[in-house]
Amino acid sequence: MKAIIQRVKSSSVTVDGEVISEIKQGLMCLIGIGRDDTKDDAEYITRKILNLRLWKNEDGTKNWDRSVQQMDYEILFVSQFTLFAQLKGNKQSYHLAMAPELSKQFYLDFLENAKKSYKPEKIKDGRFGAMMDVQLINDGPVTIQLDSKEK
């Protein structure tokens, strides 16, 4: 399982001209599900996202000290099978991504676990399988890549 985590001042997802999800300060996370991913991979990614120390402490004297949970910020998750793209010349292949008929439930279970592990009202997401317009205002910018197979 892969994640691209971006610290944001705000982020939103629009589908067919309608904003379906938005957050203020927090994290916007692109989530890719691989064909060999398991519940353990999803739990690892969730734990890392919730506990990454990406903000300063309260008095601003220590960088990289506080997590999204400690800051009480929001998280916007966006499913992104293209994180598993493999290039063959100039053409991409997605054979390492989990099949759509399996990955949708896996993604929904991942979201449910994130809600149980944090605060359900702080977890937002896009629309699985939809063409989405994702907007964000980076905070930093700070971008972290995670791969559950590289623990």
Side-chain angles (χ1 to χ4, degrees), residues 99-125:
E101 59 274 8
L102 300 174
S103 60
K104 183 173 184 177
Q105 188 59 54
F106 190 98
Y107 180 71
L108 294 173
D109 292 344
F110 165 79
L111 289 174
E112 195 57 38
N113 183 49
K115 289 176 182 178
K116 287 179 184 174
S117 300
Y118 187 30
K119 297 177 179 176
E121 70 276 9
K122 299 281 186 180
I123 303 293
K124 309 289 173 72
D125 71 299

Side-chain angles (χ1 to χ4, degrees), residues 8-151:
V8 299
K9 292 187 178 193
S10 65
S11 185
S12 65
V13 174
T14 302
V15 176
D16 296 328
E18 176 189 349
V19 175
I20 63 162
S21 196
E22 60 187 326
I23 64 167
K24 297 196 186 316
Q25 199 158 17
L27 300 174
M28 193 287 295
C29 303
L30 302 174
I31 302 296
I33 302 168
R35 66 180 181 198
D36 298 327
D37 285 339
T38 67
K39 184 178 178 183
D40 287 342
D41 294 293
E43 289 173 355
Y44 171 82
I45 293 291
T46 301
R47 188 171 60 254
K48 285 295 186 184
I49 289 170
L50 293 176
N51 293 294
L52 278 170
R53 293 181 289 180
L54 300 175
W55 285 272
K56 291 181 180 183
N57 61 0
E58 282 112 11
D59 61 13
T61 59
K62 187 175 180 187
N63 289 325
W64 315 113
D65 187 60
R66 310 284 288 171
S67 71
V68 69
Q69 291 182 102
Q70 291 169 312
M71 300 300 288
D72 199 35
Y73 289 161
E74 298 175 292
I75 305 171
L76 175 59
F77 289 109
V78 177
S79 61
Q80 181 89 37
F81 75 92
T82 62
L83 292 179
F84 278 92
Q86 296 288 302
L87 293 180
K88 295 181 179 185
N90 291 325
K91 184 167 175 27
Q92 61 275 14
S93 167
Y94 301 106
H95 69 279
L96 295 179
M98 187 177 284
E101 59 274 8
L102 300 174
S103 60
K104 183 173 184 177
Q105 188 59 54
F106 190 98
Y107 180 71
L108 294 173
D109 292 344
F110 165 79
L111 289 174
E112 195 57 38
N113 183 49
K115 289 176 182 178
K116 287 179 184 174
S117 300
Y118 187 30
K119 297 177 179 176
E121 70 276 9
K122 299 281 186 180
I123 303 293
K124 309 289 173 72
D125 71 299
R127 183 173 296 152
F128 187 90
M131 288 296 296
M132 296 176 271
D133 296 331
V134 180
Q135 290 188 324
L136 61 99
I137 298 175
N138 271 319
D139 181 11
V142 174
T143 302
I144 307 291
Q145 298 178 59
L146 286 180
D147 186 331
S148 63
K149 304 303 187 199
E150 296 175 2
K151 296 177 193 173

